[in-house]
Amino acid sequence: METENREGIGRFYLTPKGSYPSVTTVLAASQDHSFLDEWRARIGEEEANRISKESTDIGTHLHYLFECELQGMEKPSPENAEQETATRMFKVSLPKLRSYVKEVVAMETPVWSDQFRVAGRFDLLCVNKHGRLCLLDFKNSRRAKTVDQIQNYRQQLGFYTQMIKETLGRVVEDQTIFMVTREGFVQQFQFKPSDTPRSELVTIRKHFWEIHHV
């Protein structure tokens, strides 16, 4: 599924039914970014950009290592400091990942919802250790988080659950955020589809429409 970036809005996916905004683009419109603006003002744009790029590079490589593991591919040796950090995080989290994921159903699969007019690619659809169909999303963080701090991740899983049902005809039973910190601490946040009511997703999508009219 091809993508396009619309200036001032974000990423869009070209689906068979038209161009739909990505889930992260839709969610970003409903989030409070004031703390990020304050952080950038406090440490300066140059340092903020450096830290952001470092985090992105670590997260990208960590995600790739998880893909290699689940697809039975050879994992590359680290080539820089960011990849070394990601490799260390991967190794300490691997036992928990292996114990939780029992069967890979699909990875990095494009899905969309005509009802909500959103699209994207999910990280992993699997059968978990409980024998249930689970939507799992990989995250990395500089430090441990509380469940109250990841409500946008829960909403993201909610949208993807609907998209998987519409596109693939599969009913997600469990939702998991698999988060690894820089110190190697693994957090698994567990949700059910019922934790994110449809009305909540409707409100988020409506807010995006009111801002961007798409």
Side-chain angles (χ1 to χ4, degrees):
M1 190 161 57
E2 295 183 2
T3 63
E4 62 177 2
N5 288 312
R6 298 191 186 181
E7 187 175 356
I9 303 180
R11 178 182 298 175
F12 280 68
Y13 286 86
L14 305 180
T15 78
K17 296 294 184 67
S19 182
Y20 293 168
S22 72
V23 172
T24 51
T25 295
V26 169
L27 286 172
S30 296
Q31 294 169 11
D32 180 7
H33 300 283
S34 59
F35 71 99
L36 285 177
D37 295 336
E38 294 170 358
W39 171 71
R40 283 184 169 275
R42 185 172 66 254
I43 69 173
E45 282 294 316
E46 184 175 349
E47 178 64 7
N49 290 336
R50 185 196 68 78
I51 293 174
S52 296
K53 183 180 184 303
E54 178 187 63
S55 296
T56 297
D57 290 347
I58 290 172
T60 298
H61 193 67
L62 178 62
H63 193 282
Y64 179 65
L65 292 174
F66 283 134
E67 284 188 40
C68 290
E69 169 66 22
L70 293 169
Q71 294 179 356
M73 298 165 51
E74 183 177 354
K75 292 173 262 309
S77 300
E79 298 180 352
N80 52 47
E82 290 76 23
Q83 291 186 7
E84 287 179 358
T85 298
T87 300
R88 184 177 67 255
M89 294 165 67
F90 168 75
K91 288 180 178 179
V92 297
S93 65
L94 191 53
K96 287 191 176 181
L97 180 68
R98 286 175 171 171
S99 67
Y100 188 74
V101 176
K102 296 306 178 184
E103 178 187 344
V104 174
V105 176
M107 291 187 67
E108 289 294 324
T109 303
V111 289
W112 59 90
S113 167
D114 295 325
Q115 294 183 30
F116 287 101
R117 297 181 65 81
V118 293
R121 292 177 181 271
F122 59 78
D123 285 350
L124 174 65
L125 191 64
C126 66
V127 176
N128 63 18
K129 66 180 182 180
H130 306 295
R132 296 191 290 265
L133 188 65
C134 176
L135 172 61
L136 187 148
D137 198 55
F138 295 113
K139 301 293 185 184
N140 75 95
S141 176
R142 296 181 69 88
R143 57 187 61 85
K145 295 184 180 297
T146 66
V147 68
D148 289 338
Q149 293 174 312
I150 64 159
Q151 291 305 300
N152 59 319
Y153 296 160
R154 173 185 57 78
Q155 294 164 344
Q156 183 179 16
L157 292 174
F159 275 115
Y160 272 108
T161 292
Q162 176 65 29
M163 292 154 63
I164 289 169
K165 182 178 180 180
E166 289 187 44
T167 308
L168 305 181
R170 304 296 297 266
V171 177
V172 171
E173 298 171 282
D174 290 347
Q175 301 168 331
T176 297
I177 296 296
F178 191 90
M179 181 179 292
V180 189
T181 71
R182 297 284 179 86
E183 294 78 19
F185 180 58
V186 181
Q187 294 181 279
Q188 288 181 254
F189 296 94
Q190 308 289 350
F191 300 103
K192 290 289 187 182
S194 58
D195 292 331
T196 308
R198 182 181 180 85
S199 59
E200 183 177 0
L201 302 181
V202 169
T203 298
I204 294 169
R205 186 60 177 90
K206 182 180 179 181
H207 182 69
F208 183 83
W209 169 263
E210 291 171 345
I211 295 174
H212 299 293
H213 304 290
V214 288

